[in-house]
Amino acid sequence: MLKLPLYLDNNATTPVDPEVLQAMLPYFTEHFGNAASRSHSFGWVAEEAVTQAREQVAQLIHADPSEIVFTSGATEAINLAMKGAYEMYSTKGNHIITCTTEHKAVLDTCKHLEKSGAEVTYLPVNSDGIMDLNLLETAIRPNTILISIMTANNETGVLQPVKAIGTIAKAQGIIFFADATQAAGKIPVDVQADNVDMLCLSAHKMYGPKGAGALYVRRKDPRVRLVAQIDGGGHEKGMRSGTLNVPGIVALGKCCAICMQQMNEEVHRIGALRDQLEKGLTQMKNVTINGSVMHRLPNVTNLAFAGIPGNKLLTEINRTIAVSSGSACTSANPEPSHVLKAMQLNDELAKNSIRFGLGRFTTAEETEYAIDLVKKVAQNL
Ligand SMILES: Cc1ncc(COP(=O)(O)O)c(C=O)c1O
């Protein structure tokens, strides 16, 4: 039975998987201990759970558990990675390279660092949303200390050439930070194979709760050092103080374990539903796909509806289907998406674009319903 409204905004956030909820619940009640309490069993039980979660997160991205720093989510991890590296390596240089289509968590952190004296190069993308590796190479200077490029874009799902960026960064001895918030758990992510030095992820994009995330910080070849942004009791090897969110961390670990186990199946199943949705909607003459069709996440499609006022389209669709025009963080902003504009869409087409984000719990029946409804709304407008 179809249950309305439908949820097709899984890039904004995902529902908590019931298995994840079951895993975290005991850590609110009988196992409520503080993971830093070393002298009694309540603390030991909590610490053991955190240790297991650290292993689960590390496994998903091919890291060592000692390289995982738990945070409150990807935004905090991004702030720690970028501000922490900028402060730590300030004697080496002040130049950062990023990309115009990054999430606001990265772009706003860059703006903050610019006020503290950083020089930031914002690399453009082509009309597919992909950055140019030659431009990256020519942007590198002797004082470049950090390259920050996302693995997958949150509005279009477009994948950046992370492996090639990692190779360039390694050859030049520059730290490479990848925002993998949208990619982790959806497609294979391998910090070793890709020479990624820092990477962030977030539980609520992987069928876990809001308020839990992690930063991977490489410990060998090279050892990345960061200046902590939250000081306190020296938790997380001094990189992020504060009592650990044990239920959230347990949930994040469980999310990673489930995603690892189900990834192959989900890539195909969710990818097929996305293709079905896309095929159905692009049958309309004025509907086109924004971004690379070859290099993108399997669960998302961003569609431009030429000639149909985007705000009206969105309002009508949102009566029965939760979709968005782009990032949830900027959904109150009437300005056209900075990501689509960077891909050379004009303001009007950028405003007439909608992101459809499918997920673990999306069904074929829901997809068919969405095709029919969106077609009907679009034709009426
Ligand atoms: C690519 C990307 N980076 C960072 C974030 C921020 O994540 P969080 O909500 O965990 O702070 C998001 C979430 O919207 C995202 O999609």
Side-chain angles (χ1 to χ4, degrees):
M1 253 289 277
L2 200 66
K3 192 166 158 270
L4 297 177
L6 295 188
Y7 188 72
L8 290 182
D9 203 11
N10 284 279
N11 297 80
T13 195
T14 53
V16 175
D17 187 312
E19 252 194 90
V20 172
L21 181 66
Q22 283 312 312
M24 74 189 288
L25 281 178
Y27 295 89
F28 286 106
T29 51
E30 70 259 45
H31 304 315
F32 61 86
N34 184 330
S37 297
R38 290 282 154 82
S39 58
H40 54 67
S41 64
F42 292 87
W44 303 333
V45 168
E47 193 194 10
E48 215 173 274
V50 169
T51 300
Q52 191 196 3
R54 212 182 286 284
E55 284 162 7
Q56 289 167 319
V57 174
Q59 258 187 18
L60 180 73
I61 60 170
H62 298 256
D64 187 85
S66 63
E67 298 174 310
I68 304 301
V69 177
F70 288 116
T71 65
S72 65
T75 301
E76 189 197 323
I78 289 166
N79 275 265
L80 172 57
M82 300 188 73
K83 293 177 183 171
Y86 180 75
E87 287 177 31
M88 180 57 76
Y89 297 100
S90 59
T91 51
K92 196 177 162 220
N94 67 339
H95 181 229
I96 296 170
I97 301 174
T98 187
C99 182
T100 47
T101 54
E102 294 291 305
H103 189 271
K104 290 287 178 189
V106 168
L107 295 176
D108 287 350
T109 301
C110 285
K111 272 194 216 152
H112 174 97
L113 291 174
E114 280 175 313
K115 284 188 201 141
S116 326
E119 294 171 49
V120 183
T121 299
Y122 299 89
L123 296 174
V125 292
N126 64 17
S127 57
D128 269 354
I130 299 175
M131 56 168 287
D132 181 336
L133 292 167
N134 291 321
L135 290 181
L136 170 65
E137 284 192 296
T138 51
I140 292 173
R141 308 178 197 162
N143 63 339
T144 307
I145 50 169
L146 178 67
I147 297 173
S148 174
I149 305 285
M150 71 202 322
T151 310
N153 186 271
N154 47 299
E155 295 191 25
T156 57
V158 168
L159 305 176
Q160 296 296 354
V162 168
K163 197 181 181 68
I165 299 167
T167 305
I168 293 169
K170 189 164 179 70
Q172 302 275 349
I174 300 166
I175 294 170
F176 172 32
F177 166 51
D179 173 359
T181 310
Q182 293 287 344
K186 314 239 173 64
I187 55 169
V189 168
D190 187 334
V191 292
Q192 294 310 337
D194 292 350
N195 287 310
V196 173
D197 299 314
M198 296 194 282
L199 178 143
C200 67
L201 47 81
S202 183
H204 80 98
K205 309 285 186 184
M206 308 163 63
Y207 311 98
K210 289 139 193 83
L215 179 67
Y216 153 76
V217 185
R218 181 178 285 279
R219 278 170 69 88
K220 253 199 342 232
D221 303 324
R223 181 189 179 99
V224 176
R225 298 173 63 224
L226 298 175
V227 174
Q229 300 300 306
I230 301 178
D231 295 308
H235 308 72
E236 298 299 271
K237 299 201 176 67
M239 278 198 252
R240 198 275 189 183
S241 288
T243 301
L244 292 180
N245 168 11
V246 178
I249 289 168
V250 168
L252 176 61
K254 186 73 180 174
C255 290
C256 292
I258 296 175
C259 283
M260 244 178 99
Q261 198 193 0
Q262 302 196 0
M263 191 177 295
N264 280 341
E265 185 269 327
E266 288 190 343
V267 163
H268 290 108
R269 180 171 51 81
I270 302 172
L273 294 177
R274 188 272 313 273
D275 293 347
Q276 178 191 343
L277 178 76
E278 205 166 69
K279 200 168 146 214
L281 294 180
T282 51
Q283 275 171 356
M284 290 186 281
K285 268 201 315 292
N286 54 338
V287 179
T288 48
I289 301 165
N290 292 323
S292 169
V293 184
M294 284 283 290
H295 304 283
R296 61 174 169 165
L297 293 175
N299 74 307
V300 57
T301 181
N302 190 309
L303 299 177
F305 293 78
I308 304 174
N311 54 352
K312 283 199 186 136
L313 185 63
L314 196 62
T315 310
E316 285 303 313
I317 296 174
N318 275 168
R319 291 181 203 281
T320 35
I321 307 177
V323 289
S324 66
S325 57
S327 166
C329 313
T330 47
S331 64
N333 184 349
E335 288 300 305
S337 144
H338 72 282
V339 174
L340 299 180
K341 281 187 73 172
M343 291 159 59
Q344 291 114 51
L345 262 74
N346 64 37
D347 279 15
E348 199 196 331
L349 207 52
K351 279 187 177 174
N352 297 355
S353 294
I354 291 184
R355 173 183 71 182
F356 297 85
L358 289 72
R360 179 172 292 164
F361 304 107
T362 309
T363 65
E365 191 190 7
E366 289 178 340
T367 310
E368 274 310 315
Y369 180 90
I371 296 170
D372 289 343
L373 182 111
V374 176
K375 269 184 168 169
K376 233 179 261 159
V377 170
Q379 274 150 11
N380 284 343
L381 288 170

